[in-house]
Amino acid sequence: MNLGVDLGMDVGLAPKTRASVDLPLDPAECEARAKLAPWLARQSTGPRRLMAPGPDAQELALLLQAASNVSDHGRLRPCRIVVADGVQREHYAAAFLQYAASTRGLASPELLEPDVRDNERAKAFNAPCLLSVAVRIATDNPEVPPHEQWMSAGASLGALLGAATALGYAGKALSGARVHHPAVRSVACRDGELLACFVYLGSKSSNC
């Protein structure tokens, strides 16, 4: 991973605007903007605002391919993205209930208030498509320090979301404290993996 190029950009700043005088767009700029439209216009859309349809099996295969085609020093493949089927979503629903109970000091999910149970279960079924981003970070490789592996995993997430937008879908990555709960992490993660985040994908609601 060669990160020695400095593009001179501060991503925290708004892009420069054109002068107040309306000038015709340069044809080359128009063409470039058209090609980059999915990335220039991408915005996160929350799971509850994502409707069917979501990406089908062939489209998901393309999204996963795009996510894997990123900088990866040493070819460690630190990022693994798992598409949740109906069974795995049920497992997540149960794990979210366990997480909610533990954060409230309750011995069992059955002791949760009904509205809390409904809300936690819904988190596993919101949006047509749910993916888990699992990351395995090698700490014993002096040639590829952990921060480079995390950058590679982040690049995979960005490529996934950008590719989904290019296919006409919307989505959002969500993490929070729940991804560290053992019950939640065990649904999709293998030994030694961390659950970095969830990705929800679908079509934007007409109300958005």
Side-chain angles (χ1 to χ4, degrees):
M1 178 181 292
N2 184 358
L3 303 177
V5 179
D6 183 357
L7 299 180
M9 294 177 61
D10 184 343
V11 295
L13 299 177
K16 292 181 179 179
T17 58
R18 291 182 167 270
S20 57
V21 178
D22 289 334
L23 298 175
L25 289 175
D26 179 82
E29 182 180 348
C30 287
E31 182 180 357
R33 284 183 173 276
K35 291 179 179 178
L36 294 175
W39 288 267
L40 295 176
R42 200 202 80 78
Q43 293 182 330
S44 292
T45 302
R48 288 180 292 182
R49 298 162 64 188
L50 295 173
M51 315 296 290
D56 60 25
Q58 289 184 330
E59 290 172 324
L60 280 169
L62 291 173
L63 295 181
L64 296 180
Q65 182 178 346
S68 67
N69 190 25
V70 298
S71 298
D72 180 14
H73 189 187
R75 296 186 179 183
L76 297 181
R77 298 295 185 195
C79 182
R80 187 173 64 90
I81 299 176
V82 183
V83 181
D85 57 15
V87 173
Q88 192 175 80
R89 286 194 177 214
E90 285 289 352
H91 290 327
Y92 268 131
F96 291 167
L97 291 175
Q98 292 184 51
Y99 163 78
S102 67
T103 60
R104 291 164 173 79
L106 301 176
S108 169
E110 283 72 24
L111 300 176
L112 291 166
E113 295 292 331
D115 60 330
V116 174
R117 289 203 304 271
D118 292 344
N119 184 54
E120 288 297 325
R121 279 190 55 82
K123 287 180 171 63
F125 299 100
N126 287 331
C129 180
L130 171 63
L131 303 98
S132 308
V133 179
V135 177
R136 182 190 302 273
I137 301 298
T139 59
D140 57 352
N141 190 330
E143 298 297 322
V144 189
H147 79 271
E148 287 192 358
Q149 299 171 55
W150 278 112
M151 291 175 70
S152 180
S156 290
L157 175 60
L160 173 73
L161 291 170
T165 305
L167 290 180
Y169 298 108
K172 188 172 186 177
L174 291 171
S175 55
R178 71 182 60 241
V179 301
H180 304 295
H181 191 274
V184 176
R185 191 173 64 243
S186 67
V187 172
C189 290
R190 299 168 179 167
D191 288 344
E193 289 183 336
L194 302 172
L195 180 58
C197 66
F198 299 104
V199 176
Y200 293 85
L201 297 175
S203 300
K204 267 190 177 183
S205 167
S206 58
N207 296 325
C208 291

